[in-house]
Every structure is written in structure tokens, then in C-alpha cells.
Amino acid sequence: MGTVRPVDLKVQPAPYQIRYSVLQKIVKTLEKFEDATSNAGKRAIELEASVARKSGSGQSYRFNSSVLIRDLIKTRGKLEEPGSSGLRSKRNGVKDKLTKAAVMKSLEAILIDGPTLSANGYNTGNLGEVDTVGCISAMGSERDFTTCIRCNSKFDKIKIMSPATCRFHVQRKRYNRETREGEYACCGETTSSTSFLALGCKTLPHHVFRAETFEAMSNISPFRNTSDVDGEINVLALDCEMAFTSCGYELIRLTVVDFFSSEVVFDEIVQPFGEVIDLNSEFSGVHTIDKSKSVSFAKMLELVLNNKMINANSILIGHGMENDLNVLRLIHKKIIDTAILYPRGKFKSSLKDLTFEAVSKRIQTGEHDSSEDAKATMWVLKAKLGIPLQQSVWD
């Protein structure tokens, strides 16, 4: 048999040498179960190309290829369908039973490594020793200028609750290939427009900011490392909604969903530390925070950081979850982030687009819902791994 090489693809999920090495392993695996007259090389090329096409990153490619080789060995070279790979295989026409242990093994294989987490904005250090000082005292009494993340105006944090004119566009501009200029989807204004709306289609009475460093976040509330919390092994999908307050960008709702039962195990409105400036209701879905019906940040941590819920042994699933863990002030090691695993070329895909592509479900058609988003992330991962979305009974 001559040397087989991987097919060229427009978008390469991994370097050529890695794909070449994987292809040779597939060939050797097939040759163990197929007779000398069969064309193991040709079939291996097709199988490797199938894996490469459905992998959005080097990490997902390595995982998908390892699953393929495992299934080839398990089924003695027979798969449910050409080019398929996943947790389920068919032997003698009967599907193997999908077990919790098998799913756990597959999830552990795609945990994001520390350097990748750090590169994507996750706090992987330990800032838990920083004392909580509160946002007002953290700002100090001296003037502290920052840039409004909505309108780009410079303003003094100390005067954040003073009336101001913050004019901005609700959505980011996108490049229109036909007109060859930037265009704001929220109002249709273009970057070349000279109308009043060109400055922004929405005006609010306060500027807002967002802490950019872990140290700045810790000045309001310290980070907690979940490695200090012992507990049961579990898999949880989570999503947060955030608002702008006098302290910056804060958590106002947290939803946690159990991966295996698909049940919502926590869903609460959370009181922020600062005075609310903008609840971002059109995106967060939160219109009011009633202290009698919501929980404090400290109480929320007490309820979710324990041996039954989020702990050192938990696998946490989310989409762009660095934002969620940062507002939760949590440091966690076992992370599966679908935005990292399944990017769109050089950019991260939106959960809305990824959900429709993976499971043909439409989400975020109106206001965001952290419960819907947490479940959607879970659906995407299950679909990618070949896990039935409706399965809730496990051996």
C-alpha cells in the first residue's frame, strides 16, 4: 500500500502533520480487521476527512479522531454508517447501550486545558485572598477616569450616578459586502451616515464601565477557587445574566441545569452589590430585582458552592463561560466551553447560530433567558457527541 495523505480542506482544524499522523493510525486500525484485498487506505482517508470537516478546532479534532479510532476497535472496523463516529456504535445490527460512564469519559476527553482557558479570559490563578472592600471604597476618593463601554466617553467613576448623556448603538456594526461599509443592525445607520442617529440610536442618562482585570473584580468581591470545595462528581450547564451598576458589570441571574437529567437545579435572581443603572432587560430578560424575592450574592454562593452542586469534581459546561465565571467570581478547572470547541473559523460562534446548526432549534428570538441558554449549550454538546437530547435515564 502506498503512503496515504489527508485530503486538502478549505479550513484546516489541525496542522498537516497531526492530520497525517491520525490518518496513519486509522489505516493501521482498519488493517487489523479487514482482509488484504480491501482498500483500507481509501476508507481511512474518507473517515479522517469526515472527522476533519466536522471539527472546529484542533482540540475537537483530536477528540473526534480518538473517538473514531475507539469505535473502529470496538466494532472491529464496522461503524453505524460510513464516516460516523461518536458514543453510539452498532454491532450485529444492535446499538450499544449508552452509559453514564461512557459519557463521562467522553466529556473528560474534551476538557479545556489551562493555557487555553487563560487565553480565553478565564481566571486560572488564585485571587481568593483579596478581601472584599465594596465598590465605593474600592474606587477611593480621588478622581478615577475610565471609558464608557457603550459610548466611549471618558468619565469619572466617582460620579457614575450623576446624570450624563450616553448615546450609543445597541448592536455592534457589521460589514456590508454590498455597500462596502459598516452598518449597525439595530437601526440601519452606516458608518458614512451624517444624520443625528449616526452617533447612536439609544440615549441613556448614565455612563457605564466594566472591570477589565481580575484584581479590579476582586476589589468588589473576591474570587473563590472551587478546588477548595469537595463534593460529588456531576456535570452542570450554567448561564448568567448581567447588568450595569454603580460597581460595574454584575451578576443578576444564575441558572444551573443538570446535564444528565436536563432538570434546572438552580435559577435565581441575584442582588448586585451596586446601585442598578441598567438591567439590560432587552438582553437579560430581567426587568426588576425585588429584594424579597431574590438572593444576595453571598447567599447565592452558599446555595451553589457545595458537595451537591458546584464543587471541585464538577464539570461545568457553558458558551463563552469566562464571562459567567468572572461575574460569579469563581475559579474552576474542569471546563467545557462550546465557544472554544466549535468556533466559526478564526472567530467564536454565537450560541444562537450554533444551536440552530447543531439541533435545528431557534433561541434568543426575543429577550435572553439564562435557562434557555444553559439548556441550549447542553443540547449543542450532546448533539456533537451523539448523545440523545431526551435521554434522562442512565446506567
Side-chain angles (χ1 to χ4, degrees), residues 268-317:
E268 294 287 346
I269 300 296
V270 181
Q271 300 165 23
F273 289 97
E275 186 176 347
V276 173
I277 293 176
D278 186 359
L279 286 174
N280 288 322
S281 298
E282 59 190 300
F283 299 111
S284 70
V286 178
H287 293 265
T288 184
I289 297 180
D290 186 338
K291 288 191 175 182
S292 66
K293 297 179 182 179
S294 57
V295 297
S296 67
F297 189 88
K299 183 62 177 179
M300 176 275 299
L301 287 180
E302 180 185 325
L303 293 172
V304 300
L305 281 183
N306 54 62
N307 64 340
K308 297 291 185 181
M309 202 172 296
I310 299 176
N311 60 74
N313 297 310
S314 301
I315 292 179
L316 299 184
I317 299 169

mmCIF file of all heavy atoms in Angstrom, residues 268-317:
data_model
loop_
_atom_site.group_PDB
_atom_site.id
_atom_site.type_symbol
_atom_site.label_atom_id
_atom_site.label_comp_id
_atom_site.label_asym_id
_atom_site.label_seq_id
_atom_site.Cartn_x
_atom_site.Cartn_y
_atom_site.Cartn_z
ATOM 1 N N GLU A 268 -32.135 31.630 40.062
ATOM 2 C CA GLU A 268 -32.488 32.701 40.982
ATOM 3 C C GLU A 268 -32.039 34.066 40.462
ATOM 4 O O GLU A 268 -31.025 34.187 39.783
ATOM 5 C CB GLU A 268 -31.832 32.479 42.353
ATOM 6 C CG GLU A 268 -32.320 31.251 43.110
ATOM 7 C CD GLU A 268 -33.717 31.415 43.682
ATOM 8 O OE1 GLU A 268 -34.208 32.569 43.731
ATOM 9 O OE2 GLU A 268 -34.309 30.397 44.085
ATOM 10 N N ILE A 269 -32.824 35.089 40.811
ATOM 11 C CA ILE A 269 -32.414 36.468 40.603
ATOM 12 C C ILE A 269 -31.471 36.823 41.749
ATOM 13 O O ILE A 269 -31.749 36.517 42.914
ATOM 14 C CB ILE A 269 -33.619 37.424 40.609
ATOM 15 C CG1 ILE A 269 -34.603 37.051 39.487
ATOM 16 C CG2 ILE A 269 -33.154 38.875 40.450
ATOM 17 C CD1 ILE A 269 -34.039 37.199 38.096
ATOM 18 N N VAL A 270 -30.342 37.465 41.423
ATOM 19 C CA VAL A 270 -29.313 37.764 42.418
ATOM 20 C C VAL A 270 -29.162 39.282 42.574
ATOM 21 O O VAL A 270 -29.050 40.009 41.587
ATOM 22 C CB VAL A 270 -27.960 37.144 42.006
ATOM 23 C CG1 VAL A 270 -26.896 37.435 43.065
ATOM 24 C CG2 VAL A 270 -28.099 35.642 41.786
ATOM 25 N N GLN A 271 -29.145 39.726 43.813
ATOM 26 C CA GLN A 271 -28.993 41.151 44.082
ATOM 27 C C GLN A 271 -27.546 41.591 43.839
ATOM 28 O O GLN A 271 -26.620 40.975 44.364
ATOM 29 C CB GLN A 271 -29.359 41.439 45.544
ATOM 30 C CG GLN A 271 -30.776 41.062 45.925
ATOM 31 C CD GLN A 271 -30.966 41.017 47.430
ATOM 32 O OE1 GLN A 271 -30.217 41.641 48.183
ATOM 33 N NE2 GLN A 271 -31.967 40.264 47.877
ATOM 34 N N PRO A 272 -27.338 42.633 43.050
ATOM 35 C CA PRO A 272 -25.966 43.123 42.809
ATOM 36 C C PRO A 272 -25.450 43.917 44.002
ATOM 37 O O PRO A 272 -26.228 44.309 44.879
ATOM 38 C CB PRO A 272 -26.133 44.003 41.578
ATOM 39 C CG PRO A 272 -27.531 44.531 41.709
ATOM 40 C CD PRO A 272 -28.339 43.396 42.284
ATOM 41 N N PHE A 273 -24.159 44.170 44.039
ATOM 42 C CA PHE A 273 -23.560 44.961 45.115
ATOM 43 C C PHE A 273 -23.880 46.438 44.948
ATOM 44 O O PHE A 273 -24.142 47.144 45.922
ATOM 45 C CB PHE A 273 -22.034 44.777 45.126
ATOM 46 C CG PHE A 273 -21.595 43.421 45.598
ATOM 47 C CD1 PHE A 273 -21.302 42.425 44.689
ATOM 48 C CD2 PHE A 273 -21.473 43.144 46.947
ATOM 49 C CE1 PHE A 273 -20.897 41.171 45.112
ATOM 50 C CE2 PHE A 273 -21.072 41.902 47.396
ATOM 51 C CZ PHE A 273 -20.782 40.903 46.476
ATOM 52 N N GLY A 274 -23.820 46.904 43.697
ATOM 53 C CA GLY A 274 -24.006 48.327 43.448
ATOM 54 C C GLY A 274 -25.440 48.713 43.149
ATOM 55 O O GLY A 274 -26.345 47.870 43.072
ATOM 56 N N GLU A 275 -25.651 50.018 42.969
ATOM 57 C CA GLU A 275 -26.961 50.542 42.599
ATOM 58 C C GLU A 275 -27.180 50.310 41.111
ATOM 59 O O GLU A 275 -26.310 50.602 40.286
ATOM 60 C CB GLU A 275 -27.016 52.037 42.913
ATOM 61 C CG GLU A 275 -28.382 52.663 42.701
ATOM 62 C CD GLU A 275 -28.412 54.118 43.120
ATOM 63 O OE1 GLU A 275 -27.464 54.569 43.803
ATOM 64 O OE2 GLU A 275 -29.385 54.811 42.737
ATOM 65 N N VAL A 276 -28.334 49.777 40.766
ATOM 66 C CA VAL A 276 -28.614 49.416 39.373
ATOM 67 C C VAL A 276 -28.695 50.661 38.491
ATOM 68 O O VAL A 276 -29.376 51.632 38.812
ATOM 69 C CB VAL A 276 -29.922 48.621 39.254
ATOM 70 C CG1 VAL A 276 -30.291 48.410 37.780
ATOM 71 C CG2 VAL A 276 -29.799 47.273 39.954
ATOM 72 N N ILE A 277 -27.967 50.591 37.373
ATOM 73 C CA ILE A 277 -28.026 51.658 36.366
ATOM 74 C C ILE A 277 -28.841 51.191 35.169
ATOM 75 O O ILE A 277 -29.710 51.894 34.679
ATOM 76 C CB ILE A 277 -26.604 52.059 35.905
ATOM 77 C CG1 ILE A 277 -25.849 52.728 37.048
ATOM 78 C CG2 ILE A 277 -26.671 52.994 34.694
ATOM 79 C CD1 ILE A 277 -24.411 53.070 36.715
ATOM 80 N N ASP A 278 -28.560 49.976 34.705
ATOM 81 C CA ASP A 278 -29.255 49.430 33.538
ATOM 82 C C ASP A 278 -29.317 47.907 33.666
ATOM 83 O O ASP A 278 -28.278 47.240 33.699
ATOM 84 C CB ASP A 278 -28.521 49.826 32.255
ATOM 85 C CG ASP A 278 -29.267 49.417 30.987
ATOM 86 O OD1 ASP A 278 -30.348 48.802 31.109
ATOM 87 O OD2 ASP A 278 -28.773 49.709 29.889
ATOM 88 N N LEU A 279 -30.521 47.350 33.734
ATOM 89 C CA LEU A 279 -30.695 45.904 33.851
ATOM 90 C C LEU A 279 -30.529 45.184 32.516
ATOM 91 O O LEU A 279 -30.593 43.958 32.465
ATOM 92 C CB LEU A 279 -32.087 45.581 34.423
ATOM 93 C CG LEU A 279 -32.284 45.845 35.911
ATOM 94 C CD1 LEU A 279 -33.743 45.617 36.294
ATOM 95 C CD2 LEU A 279 -31.374 44.964 36.748
ATOM 96 N N ASN A 280 -30.315 45.945 31.437
ATOM 97 C CA ASN A 280 -30.167 45.330 30.107
ATOM 98 C C ASN A 280 -31.331 44.387 29.809
ATOM 99 O O ASN A 280 -31.146 43.283 29.289
ATOM 100 C CB ASN A 280 -28.849 44.543 30.006
ATOM 101 C CG ASN A 280 -27.640 45.435 29.933
ATOM 102 O OD1 ASN A 280 -27.677 46.481 29.291
ATOM 103 N ND2 ASN A 280 -26.574 45.050 30.616
ATOM 104 N N SER A 281 -32.526 44.812 30.156
ATOM 105 C CA SER A 281 -33.698 43.931 30.089
ATOM 106 C C SER A 281 -33.927 43.311 28.728
ATOM 107 O O SER A 281 -34.360 42.152 28.626
ATOM 108 C CB SER A 281 -34.956 44.707 30.524
ATOM 109 O OG SER A 281 -34.831 45.144 31.857
ATOM 110 N N GLU A 282 -33.635 44.067 27.657
ATOM 111 C CA GLU A 282 -33.872 43.520 26.320
ATOM 112 C C GLU A 282 -32.943 42.355 26.013
ATOM 113 O O GLU A 282 -33.211 41.548 25.120
ATOM 114 C CB GLU A 282 -33.708 44.606 25.261
ATOM 115 C CG GLU A 282 -32.342 45.256 25.231
ATOM 116 C CD GLU A 282 -32.316 46.480 24.332
ATOM 117 O OE1 GLU A 282 -32.588 46.327 23.126
ATOM 118 O OE2 GLU A 282 -32.052 47.583 24.840
ATOM 119 N N PHE A 283 -31.846 42.234 26.762
ATOM 120 C CA PHE A 283 -30.925 41.114 26.597
ATOM 121 C C PHE A 283 -30.973 40.149 27.788
ATOM 122 O O PHE A 283 -30.918 38.939 27.623
ATOM 123 C CB PHE A 283 -29.491 41.628 26.415
ATOM 124 C CG PHE A 283 -29.311 42.487 25.203
ATOM 125 C CD1 PHE A 283 -29.059 43.842 25.325
ATOM 126 C CD2 PHE A 283 -29.415 41.942 23.932
ATOM 127 C CE1 PHE A 283 -28.896 44.642 24.206
ATOM 128 C CE2 PHE A 283 -29.260 42.730 22.793
ATOM 129 C CZ PHE A 283 -28.997 44.084 22.935
ATOM 130 N N SER A 284 -31.077 40.696 28.995
ATOM 131 C CA SER A 284 -31.047 39.842 30.185
ATOM 132 C C SER A 284 -32.387 39.190 30.492
ATOM 133 O O SER A 284 -32.438 38.132 31.120
ATOM 134 C CB SER A 284 -30.601 40.662 31.400
ATOM 135 O OG SER A 284 -31.596 41.601 31.775
ATOM 136 N N GLY A 285 -33.472 39.831 30.079
ATOM 137 C CA GLY A 285 -34.795 39.298 30.406
ATOM 138 C C GLY A 285 -35.222 39.629 31.824
ATOM 139 O O GLY A 285 -36.315 39.265 32.251
ATOM 140 N N VAL A 286 -34.377 40.341 32.566
ATOM 141 C CA VAL A 286 -34.693 40.730 33.946
ATOM 142 C C VAL A 286 -35.188 42.176 33.941
ATOM 143 O O VAL A 286 -34.489 43.077 33.464
ATOM 144 C CB VAL A 286 -33.455 40.599 34.864
ATOM 145 C CG1 VAL A 286 -33.796 41.052 36.280
ATOM 146 C CG2 VAL A 286 -32.945 39.165 34.868
ATOM 147 N N HIS A 287 -36.396 42.399 34.472
ATOM 148 C CA HIS A 287 -36.989 43.727 34.435
ATOM 149 C C HIS A 287 -36.995 44.422 35.788
ATOM 150 O O HIS A 287 -37.129 45.647 35.861
ATOM 151 C CB HIS A 287 -38.418 43.649 33.896
ATOM 152 C CG HIS A 287 -38.479 43.259 32.447
ATOM 153 N ND1 HIS A 287 -38.560 44.176 31.424
ATOM 154 C CD2 HIS A 287 -38.446 42.038 31.846
ATOM 155 C CE1 HIS A 287 -38.584 43.545 30.254
ATOM 156 N NE2 HIS A 287 -38.512 42.240 30.485
ATOM 157 N N THR A 288 -36.891 43.651 36.847
ATOM 158 C CA THR A 288 -36.863 44.235 38.184
ATOM 159 C C THR A 288 -36.170 43.272 39.140
ATOM 160 O O THR A 288 -36.141 42.058 38.900
ATOM 161 C CB THR A 288 -38.297 44.523 38.686
ATOM 162 O OG1 THR A 288 -38.227 45.180 39.957
ATOM 163 C CG2 THR A 288 -39.091 43.242 38.833
ATOM 164 N N ILE A 289 -35.599 43.819 40.196
ATOM 165 C CA ILE A 289 -34.978 42.984 41.227
ATOM 166 C C ILE A 289 -35.651 43.305 42.558
ATOM 167 O O ILE A 289 -35.433 44.370 43.133
ATOM 168 C CB ILE A 289 -33.459 43.223 41.319
ATOM 169 C CG1 ILE A 289 -32.774 42.816 40.012
ATOM 170 C CG2 ILE A 289 -32.866 42.444 42.493
ATOM 171 C CD1 ILE A 289 -31.274 43.026 40.000
ATOM 172 N N ASP A 290 -36.487 42.392 42.992
ATOM 173 C CA ASP A 290 -37.226 42.529 44.242
ATOM 174 C C ASP A 290 -36.422 41.844 45.343
ATOM 175 O O ASP A 290 -36.203 40.631 45.298
ATOM 176 C CB ASP A 290 -38.601 41.875 44.090
ATOM 177 C CG ASP A 290 -39.489 42.112 45.306
ATOM 178 O OD1 ASP A 290 -38.946 42.401 46.399
ATOM 179 O OD2 ASP A 290 -40.717 41.964 45.184
ATOM 180 N N LYS A 291 -35.979 42.608 46.329
ATOM 181 C CA LYS A 291 -35.147 42.037 47.385
ATOM 182 C C LYS A 291 -35.862 40.936 48.159
ATOM 183 O O LYS A 291 -35.227 40.031 48.699
ATOM 184 C CB LYS A 291 -34.685 43.137 48.335
ATOM 185 C CG LYS A 291 -33.630 44.048 47.730
ATOM 186 C CD LYS A 291 -33.010 44.952 48.773
ATOM 187 C CE LYS A 291 -31.866 45.768 48.165
ATOM 188 N NZ LYS A 291 -31.204 46.641 49.172
ATOM 189 N N SER A 292 -37.176 41.006 48.219
ATOM 190 C CA SER A 292 -37.921 39.980 48.961
ATOM 191 C C SER A 292 -38.028 38.670 48.175
ATOM 192 O O SER A 292 -38.352 37.626 48.744
ATOM 193 C CB SER A 292 -39.326 40.496 49.292
ATOM 194 O OG SER A 292 -40.097 40.687 48.101
ATOM 195 N N LYS A 293 -37.746 38.738 46.847
ATOM 196 C CA LYS A 293 -37.876 37.541 46.018
ATOM 197 C C LYS A 293 -36.556 37.139 45.364
ATOM 198 O O LYS A 293 -36.523 36.279 44.496
ATOM 199 C CB LYS A 293 -38.928 37.778 44.931
ATOM 200 C CG LYS A 293 -40.322 38.037 45.466
ATOM 201 C CD LYS A 293 -41.306 38.295 44.336
ATOM 202 C CE LYS A 293 -42.695 38.592 44.872
ATOM 203 N NZ LYS A 293 -43.670 38.873 43.769
ATOM 204 N N SER A 294 -35.474 37.774 45.770
ATOM 205 C CA SER A 294 -34.167 37.480 45.194
ATOM 206 C C SER A 294 -33.184 37.136 46.310
ATOM 207 O O SER A 294 -33.500 37.273 47.498
ATOM 208 C CB SER A 294 -33.656 38.675 44.382
ATOM 209 O OG SER A 294 -33.608 39.842 45.194
ATOM 210 N N VAL A 295 -31.998 36.682 45.930
ATOM 211 C CA VAL A 295 -30.994 36.298 46.924
ATOM 212 C C VAL A 295 -29.778 37.209 46.815
ATOM 213 O O VAL A 295 -29.503 37.779 45.756
ATOM 214 C CB VAL A 295 -30.551 34.830 46.739
ATOM 215 C CG1 VAL A 295 -31.715 33.886 46.955
ATOM 216 C CG2 VAL A 295 -29.926 34.607 45.364
ATOM 217 N N SER A 296 -29.068 37.352 47.913
ATOM 218 C CA SER A 296 -27.843 38.135 47.894
ATOM 219 C C SER A 296 -26.751 37.326 47.202
ATOM 220 O O SER A 296 -26.872 36.115 47.022
ATOM 221 C CB SER A 296 -27.403 38.475 49.321
ATOM 222 O OG SER A 296 -27.018 37.285 50.007
ATOM 223 N N PHE A 297 -25.677 37.997 46.831
ATOM 224 C CA PHE A 297 -24.556 37.314 46.186
ATOM 225 C C PHE A 297 -23.974 36.254 47.126
ATOM 226 O O PHE A 297 -23.687 35.129 46.711
ATOM 227 C CB PHE A 297 -23.482 38.341 45.808
ATOM 228 C CG PHE A 297 -22.384 37.786 44.950
ATOM 229 C CD1 PHE A 297 -22.506 37.774 43.565
ATOM 230 C CD2 PHE A 297 -21.221 37.280 45.516
ATOM 231 C CE1 PHE A 297 -21.489 37.263 42.758
ATOM 232 C CE2 PHE A 297 -20.194 36.768 44.724
ATOM 233 C CZ PHE A 297 -20.341 36.760 43.345
ATOM 234 N N ALA A 298 -23.829 36.594 48.409
ATOM 235 C CA ALA A 298 -23.282 35.649 49.386
ATOM 236 C C ALA A 298 -24.187 34.441 49.545
ATOM 237 O O ALA A 298 -23.710 33.294 49.629
ATOM 238 C CB ALA A 298 -23.088 36.355 50.729
ATOM 239 N N LYS A 299 -25.506 34.666 49.571
ATOM 240 C CA LYS A 299 -26.444 33.555 49.714
ATOM 241 C C LYS A 299 -26.414 32.665 48.480
ATOM 242 O O LYS A 299 -26.497 31.430 48.580
ATOM 243 C CB LYS A 299 -27.864 34.104 49.927
ATOM 244 C CG LYS A 299 -28.916 33.023 50.158
ATOM 245 C CD LYS A 299 -28.628 32.219 51.417
ATOM 246 C CE LYS A 299 -29.712 31.196 51.687
ATOM 247 N NZ LYS A 299 -29.429 30.390 52.913
ATOM 248 N N MET A 300 -26.277 33.290 47.295
ATOM 249 C CA MET A 300 -26.184 32.516 46.053
ATOM 250 C C MET A 300 -24.991 31.565 46.103
ATOM 251 O O MET A 300 -25.104 30.379 45.772
ATOM 252 C CB MET A 300 -26.064 33.480 44.863
ATOM 253 C CG MET A 300 -25.860 32.817 43.507
ATOM 254 S SD MET A 300 -24.122 32.439 43.127
ATOM 255 C CE MET A 300 -23.391 34.077 43.165
ATOM 256 N N LEU A 301 -23.840 32.075 46.531
ATOM 257 C CA LEU A 301 -22.648 31.225 46.623
ATOM 258 C C LEU A 301 -22.858 30.091 47.622
ATOM 259 O O LEU A 301 -22.427 28.961 47.397
ATOM 260 C CB LEU A 301 -21.437 32.068 47.036
ATOM 261 C CG LEU A 301 -20.858 33.000 45.972
ATOM 262 C CD1 LEU A 301 -19.669 33.761 46.543
ATOM 263 C CD2 LEU A 301 -20.432 32.228 44.727
ATOM 264 N N GLU A 302 -23.523 30.391 48.701
ATOM 265 C CA GLU A 302 -23.802 29.372 49.712
ATOM 266 C C GLU A 302 -24.668 28.255 49.138
ATOM 267 O O GLU A 302 -24.480 27.074 49.463
ATOM 268 C CB GLU A 302 -24.508 30.026 50.909
ATOM 269 C CG GLU A 302 -24.863 29.073 52.029
ATOM 270 C CD GLU A 302 -25.662 29.742 53.131
ATOM 271 O OE1 GLU A 302 -25.403 30.940 53.410
ATOM 272 O OE2 GLU A 302 -26.544 29.089 53.718
ATOM 273 N N LEU A 303 -25.591 28.627 48.263
ATOM 274 C CA LEU A 303 -26.519 27.654 47.692
ATOM 275 C C LEU A 303 -25.909 26.818 46.563
ATOM 276 O O LEU A 303 -26.306 25.673 46.350
ATOM 277 C CB LEU A 303 -27.772 28.368 47.173
ATOM 278 C CG LEU A 303 -28.657 29.017 48.234
ATOM 279 C CD1 LEU A 303 -29.748 29.853 47.562
ATOM 280 C CD2 LEU A 303 -29.295 27.955 49.136
ATOM 281 N N VAL A 304 -24.971 27.387 45.827
ATOM 282 C CA VAL A 304 -24.433 26.665 44.661
ATOM 283 C C VAL A 304 -23.057 26.050 44.887
ATOM 284 O O VAL A 304 -22.670 25.116 44.185
ATOM 285 C CB VAL A 304 -24.390 27.566 43.405
ATOM 286 C CG1 VAL A 304 -25.772 28.057 43.053
ATOM 287 C CG2 VAL A 304 -23.423 28.724 43.590
ATOM 288 N N LEU A 305 -22.296 26.578 45.859
ATOM 289 C CA LEU A 305 -20.976 26.011 46.137
ATOM 290 C C LEU A 305 -21.074 25.014 47.289
ATOM 291 O O LEU A 305 -20.986 25.375 48.455
ATOM 292 C CB LEU A 305 -19.982 27.121 46.498
ATOM 293 C CG LEU A 305 -19.389 27.946 45.366
ATOM 294 C CD1 LEU A 305 -18.384 28.941 45.914
ATOM 295 C CD2 LEU A 305 -18.742 27.073 44.320
ATOM 296 N N ASN A 306 -21.282 23.771 46.958
ATOM 297 C CA ASN A 306 -21.404 22.730 47.980
ATOM 298 C C ASN A 306 -21.175 21.362 47.359
ATOM 299 O O ASN A 306 -20.987 21.241 46.146
ATOM 300 C CB ASN A 306 -22.772 22.797 48.667
ATOM 301 C CG ASN A 306 -23.925 22.761 47.671
ATOM 302 O OD1 ASN A 306 -24.097 21.793 46.949
ATOM 303 N ND2 ASN A 306 -24.694 23.854 47.612
ATOM 304 N N ASN A 307 -21.212 20.330 48.175
ATOM 305 C CA ASN A 307 -20.902 18.980 47.686
ATOM 306 C C ASN A 307 -21.949 18.416 46.740
ATOM 307 O O ASN A 307 -21.689 17.437 46.029
ATOM 308 C CB ASN A 307 -20.701 18.020 48.864
ATOM 309 C CG ASN A 307 -21.973 17.843 49.693
ATOM 310 O OD1 ASN A 307 -22.884 18.669 49.635
ATOM 311 N ND2 ASN A 307 -22.027 16.786 50.473
ATOM 312 N N LYS A 308 -23.133 19.011 46.694
ATOM 313 C CA LYS A 308 -24.200 18.512 45.817
ATOM 314 C C LYS A 308 -24.257 19.248 44.483
ATOM 315 O O LYS A 308 -24.799 18.738 43.510
ATOM 316 C CB LYS A 308 -25.556 18.644 46.510
ATOM 317 C CG LYS A 308 -25.710 17.828 47.778
ATOM 318 C CD LYS A 308 -25.765 16.342 47.485
ATOM 319 C CE LYS A 308 -26.051 15.554 48.766
ATOM 320 N NZ LYS A 308 -26.095 14.089 48.505
ATOM 321 N N MET A 309 -23.689 20.453 44.442
ATOM 322 C CA MET A 309 -23.783 21.232 43.205
ATOM 323 C C MET A 309 -22.382 21.555 42.675
ATOM 324 O O MET A 309 -21.639 20.654 42.299
ATOM 325 C CB MET A 309 -24.637 22.474 43.397
ATOM 326 C CG MET A 309 -25.216 23.021 42.088
ATOM 327 S SD MET A 309 -26.424 24.375 42.279
ATOM 328 C CE MET A 309 -27.755 23.546 43.145
ATOM 329 N N ILE A 310 -21.986 22.812 42.631
ATOM 330 C CA ILE A 310 -20.683 23.155 42.060
ATOM 331 C C ILE A 310 -19.584 22.894 43.083
ATOM 332 O O ILE A 310 -19.593 23.460 44.183
ATOM 333 C CB ILE A 310 -20.649 24.628 41.615
ATOM 334 C CG1 ILE A 310 -21.705 24.886 40.536
ATOM 335 C CG2 ILE A 310 -19.267 24.992 41.077
ATOM 336 C CD1 ILE A 310 -21.807 26.338 40.091
ATOM 337 N N ASN A 311 -18.649 22.032 42.713
ATOM 338 C CA ASN A 311 -17.543 21.700 43.603
ATOM 339 C C ASN A 311 -16.319 21.329 42.762
ATOM 340 O O ASN A 311 -16.358 21.411 41.534
ATOM 341 C CB ASN A 311 -17.935 20.562 44.551
ATOM 342 C CG ASN A 311 -18.317 19.294 43.815
ATOM 343 O OD1 ASN A 311 -17.463 18.585 43.277
ATOM 344 N ND2 ASN A 311 -19.613 18.993 43.758
ATOM 345 N N ALA A 312 -15.263 20.901 43.407
ATOM 346 C CA ALA A 312 -14.014 20.601 42.707
ATOM 347 C C ALA A 312 -14.156 19.517 41.660
ATOM 348 O O ALA A 312 -13.402 19.470 40.680
ATOM 349 C CB ALA A 312 -12.943 20.192 43.728
ATOM 350 N N ASN A 313 -15.131 18.612 41.833
ATOM 351 C CA ASN A 313 -15.295 17.480 40.922
ATOM 352 C C ASN A 313 -16.327 17.727 39.821
ATOM 353 O O ASN A 313 -16.601 16.836 39.012
ATOM 354 C CB ASN A 313 -15.693 16.230 41.717
ATOM 355 C CG ASN A 313 -14.609 15.819 42.696
ATOM 356 O OD1 ASN A 313 -13.449 15.705 42.326
ATOM 357 N ND2 ASN A 313 -14.981 15.621 43.959
ATOM 358 N N SER A 314 -16.902 18.915 39.782
ATOM 359 C CA SER A 314 -17.920 19.232 38.786
ATOM 360 C C SER A 314 -17.289 19.520 37.427
ATOM 361 O O SER A 314 -16.231 20.148 37.344
ATOM 362 C CB SER A 314 -18.734 20.465 39.210
ATOM 363 O OG SER A 314 -19.375 20.270 40.448
ATOM 364 N N ILE A 315 -17.949 19.069 36.365
ATOM 365 C CA ILE A 315 -17.624 19.515 35.009
ATOM 366 C C ILE A 315 -18.654 20.582 34.664
ATOM 367 O O ILE A 315 -19.862 20.322 34.699
ATOM 368 C CB ILE A 315 -17.689 18.361 33.992
ATOM 369 C CG1 ILE A 315 -16.556 17.361 34.244
ATOM 370 C CG2 ILE A 315 -17.594 18.896 32.562
ATOM 371 C CD1 ILE A 315 -16.557 16.171 33.303
ATOM 372 N N LEU A 316 -18.185 21.797 34.377
ATOM 373 C CA LEU A 316 -19.088 22.897 34.062
ATOM 374 C C LEU A 316 -19.093 23.155 32.563
ATOM 375 O O LEU A 316 -18.042 23.239 31.931
ATOM 376 C CB LEU A 316 -18.656 24.169 34.803
ATOM 377 C CG LEU A 316 -18.642 24.097 36.333
ATOM 378 C CD1 LEU A 316 -18.287 25.461 36.912
ATOM 379 C CD2 LEU A 316 -19.991 23.624 36.868
ATOM 380 N N ILE A 317 -20.288 23.280 32.013
ATOM 381 C CA ILE A 317 -20.479 23.480 30.579
ATOM 382 C C ILE A 317 -21.117 24.847 30.335
ATOM 383 O O ILE A 317 -22.077 25.226 31.007
ATOM 384 C CB ILE A 317 -21.385 22.381 29.989
ATOM 385 C CG1 ILE A 317 -20.751 20.999 30.191
ATOM 386 C CG2 ILE A 317 -21.663 22.625 28.514
ATOM 387 C CD1 ILE A 317 -21.697 19.857 29.884
#
